[in-house]
Amino acid sequence: MSAGRYETVIGLEIHVQLLTSTKLFCACPAEFGGEPNSRICPVCLGLPGALPAVNREAVKMAVLLGTALGCDVRSRSVFARKNYFYPDCPRNYQISMFDKPLCENGVVELDSDDAPVRIRIERVHLEDDSGKLIHESDGGSLVDFNRCGVPLAEIVTMPDLRTPAEARMLVKQLRQLVRYLGICDGNLEEGSMRCDVNVSLRNPGETELGTKTEIKNLNSFKAIESGLEAEIVRQAALLDAGKEIEQVTSLWDSQHRESVVMRSKEKAHDYRYFREPDLEDLVLDEGLLKKVESLMPELPRERRGRFVDQYGLSDYDSVVLTSEKEIADYFEEVARLSGDPRSSSNWIMREVMGELNNTGKDIRSFGVSPEGLSELIKEIASGRISATAGGEVFGEMVRSDVEPGDAIASLGLEQVSGEDEISEMVGTVLEAAPDEVRRYREGERKLLGYFVGQVMKMSGGRANPSKVNEILKERLH
């Protein structure tokens, strides 16, 4: 990817589907799926006489999001009609917000290893979603209106991003944020979080923006980055050839790695915005604002810092463990129960997250409970089993859904710490390796590891390693 001699300017619009039980303006269920057109009512369809009523829960979630993004929250905002025709929008207008959004003027700092990058948030506003077209193999199309009216919070950034990688990083951070806030599941594949990207090029040093193009409904981190890369190359080639950029809206064809033009880009006046006549001004009362304040959780950046301070973890470990709220919660519970944050961190980062990556599972459906993992950590710390045997026990816990004690018993992995038994095994190993013993005594000290390994092998991994080391050194002296 190269913008050549041009500077890239990127802005994002991210739609976040709010986890309310009902839709934004009616009592229909807002959950994903369902029999087509089974979750609709006259309000969803905009039938004559049907009047919308604002979902207070959606307002609360949007304010929570805006506050977490450092926005100013308007005490009075206004819904507007955004007029356009799409076959999956039965009213021919979307109820959104225009000149008086719910939240505005926020900022996000990218979690970059390089110099801090601050991305300004222009606004966060509420709007309702449209339906869904289903295209048949015979060329016909069907429409499912179940999604009509589902509440969305739209996050609009200023054009402060300069690379596709930054755009990808920002969307990842925002996904993490909305999941921490508990207002969206962040599922890009199901469309509960979608991203539109705007990109333009200009000569270095210029302050005026170039003509921008938009790619809509990108539903993966890879698509966001790839779509931007391809569009930057396309625009640079046009500018190099002395041609003008046409302001268009496109879709991303991931198979052919190219953007496909849908239509000329609309400007705000094309939508003929006007105040929604069926809704009064949205006035936030003190009670709602206090409720939002009380709901604000510890955010990812704060939690990372606390993990370093409270548990003595490295910056890297704290970043990994806080990547998902549920994993951070799991870690804290294991650390509390085991009393050993360091071992808890190591086990989760290595064994637990390795298992999740291999199986594609989510920590919420992971079979080893915090109680089970903490018991395993305590069994190792007590010397009942070795750390090596602990790996086998963990594997058995995953496979058979058993407690650590039962896995230790069934696998016969209880550690051998008896001096007589270990001494006998040490004697056998040394007797079988006279040349190695001679070389060790002549100064080749690294052979100690060889002898330890032989004893561990003889014991089936059950011998206490520290005891083995101790006895070997005595016998080899």
Side-chain angles (χ1 to χ4, degrees):
M1 182 278 296
S2 172
R5 62 188 177 86
Y6 306 104
E7 180 187 34
T8 303
V9 180
I10 299 169
L12 303 182
E13 297 174 5
I14 300 119
H15 289 93
V16 174
Q17 183 175 319
L18 300 175
L19 282 173
T20 55
S21 57
T22 57
K23 295 183 179 179
L24 184 54
F25 299 118
C26 66
C28 291
E31 64 186 298
F32 176 80
E35 188 71 21
N37 298 313
S38 63
R39 296 169 180 169
I40 56 176
C41 71
V43 174
C44 301
L45 300 176
L47 297 183
L51 293 176
V54 180
N55 184 333
R56 185 179 173 90
E57 193 67 14
V59 175
K60 190 173 67 182
M61 289 182 179
V63 173
L64 189 65
L65 174 59
T67 305
L69 291 170
C71 292
D72 301 324
V73 179
R74 279 183 179 273
S75 58
R76 181 184 291 267
S77 51
V78 176
F79 283 103
R81 288 190 180 181
K82 183 180 181 182
N83 295 279
Y84 60 89
F85 170 76
Y86 287 132
D88 56 357
C89 182
R91 290 189 305 241
N92 287 341
Y93 63 84
Q94 180 184 30
I95 301 180
S96 181
M97 289 176 161
F98 181 50
D99 56 342
K100 295 182 176 58
L102 194 55
C103 310
E104 53 193 351
N105 304 323
V107 68
V108 176
E109 190 168 299
L110 291 183
D111 294 330
S112 170
D113 294 333
D114 303 322
V117 178
R118 288 166 61 85
I119 308 299
R120 291 170 294 161
I121 303 297
E122 180 186 320
R123 56 196 280 141
V124 176
H125 66 253
L126 276 170
E127 63 186 28
D128 61 351
D129 208 348
S130 57
K132 178 183 175 184
L133 289 175
I134 303 164
H135 302 292
E136 301 282 271
S137 57
D138 63 1
S141 294
L142 305 172
V143 62
D144 177 8
F145 291 123
N146 277 354
R147 207 174 58 184
C148 281
V150 166
L152 302 175
E154 182 174 352
I155 305 167
V156 181
T157 79
M158 298 295 281
D160 290 344
L161 296 146
R162 292 293 175 268
T163 68
E166 285 182 351
R168 177 180 184 143
M169 190 184 304
L170 177 60
V171 178
K172 273 191 169 182
Q173 271 184 235
L174 292 176
R175 178 177 183 271
Q176 182 189 47
L177 177 66
V178 297
R179 287 166 63 91
Y180 261 76
L181 293 173
I183 62 170
C184 175
D185 62 19
N187 191 327
L188 279 80
E189 288 183 354
E190 289 184 357
S192 51
M193 196 168 168
R194 312 191 289 272
C195 183
D196 302 341
V197 300
N198 294 292
V199 57
S200 63
L201 302 183
R202 65 185 175 189
N203 291 313
E206 287 182 348
T207 54
E208 191 173 338
L209 295 174
T211 303
K212 67 180 178 182
T213 59
E214 181 184 46
I215 307 178
K216 288 189 75 67
N217 294 332
L218 296 167
N219 64 352
S220 73
F221 301 123
K222 183 180 178 184
I224 291 166
E225 195 164 9
S226 301
L228 280 167
E229 287 173 351
E231 184 58 17
I232 290 166
V233 170
R234 189 186 74 83
Q235 288 193 21
L238 287 171
L239 293 175
D240 284 344
K243 298 181 180 177
E244 291 188 355
I245 305 296
E246 184 183 358
Q247 186 166 330
V248 294
T249 297
S250 304
L251 291 176
W252 175 239
D253 182 342
S254 58
Q255 186 176 357
H256 298 97
R257 291 182 57 80
E258 63 181 12
S259 53
V260 179
V261 174
M262 295 167 60
R263 59 181 183 268
S264 295
K265 172 65 180 172
E266 298 89 346
K267 296 181 179 177
H269 63 256
D270 292 327
Y271 291 117
R272 300 293 191 269
Y273 279 102
F274 65 86
R275 182 193 180 92
E276 166 56 58
D278 291 334
L279 287 168
E280 296 181 348
D281 290 3
L282 181 60
V283 179
L284 302 185
D285 57 67
E286 258 325 289
L288 186 139
L289 293 174
K290 283 184 179 176
K291 180 70 175 175
V292 168
E293 191 178 336
S294 70
L295 290 174
M296 185 62 69
E298 185 181 32
L299 299 179
R301 180 167 293 192
E302 297 164 3
R303 202 168 194 184
R304 286 198 295 274
R306 181 168 64 79
F307 277 18
V308 172
D309 295 339
Q310 182 176 342
Y311 300 116
L313 302 182
S314 67
D315 288 336
Y316 175 79
D317 290 0
S318 66
V319 167
V320 173
L321 290 172
T322 56
S323 59
E324 301 275 351
K325 179 178 181 297
E326 292 78 10
I327 289 176
D329 292 343
Y330 186 92
F331 161 72
E332 292 217 79
E333 186 64 1
V334 175
R336 184 183 71 80
L337 293 168
S338 69
D340 188 342
R342 174 64 62 184
S343 292
S344 302
S345 167
N346 290 340
W347 272 92
I348 293 169
M349 290 185 52
R350 188 177 56 238
E351 306 294 344
V352 174
M353 297 185 78
E355 182 67 21
L356 295 179
N357 287 335
N358 290 337
T359 59
K361 283 186 178 176
D362 185 282
I363 190 73
R364 288 168 291 193
S365 59
F366 186 55
V368 177
S369 66
E371 291 78 8
L373 182 56
S374 63
E375 279 303 311
L376 174 58
I377 292 170
K378 287 196 278 191
E379 294 284 17
I380 297 169
S382 71
R384 186 182 175 195
I385 58 171
S386 67
T388 304
E392 291 187 52
V393 172
F394 178 80
E396 184 66 11
M397 292 167 69
V398 172
R399 283 189 299 275
S400 306
D401 191 23
V402 294
E403 296 300 317
D406 295 334
I408 293 168
S410 65
L411 295 171
L413 290 173
E414 193 148 6
Q415 189 159 264
V416 176
S417 297
E419 188 156 341
D420 290 346
E421 195 173 350
I422 292 178
S423 188
E424 186 178 340
M425 288 189 281
V426 167
T428 303
V429 166
L430 295 183
E431 191 176 334
D435 288 345
E436 285 80 4
V437 170
R438 176 182 53 75
R439 285 160 50 202
Y440 177 88
R441 286 175 172 155
E442 288 174 355
E444 204 172 332
R445 294 294 191 251
K446 65 181 181 182
L447 282 169
L448 182 65
Y450 166 77
F451 296 125
V452 172
Q454 291 300 305
V455 176
M456 295 304 292
K457 184 178 178 183
M458 182 176 289
S459 69
R462 296 167 55 232
N464 184 321
S466 62
K467 202 71 181 175
V468 171
N469 268 279
E470 178 187 324
I471 294 174
L472 270 170
K473 287 178 181 175
E474 285 176 4
R475 298 284 292 272
L476 287 166
H477 187 63

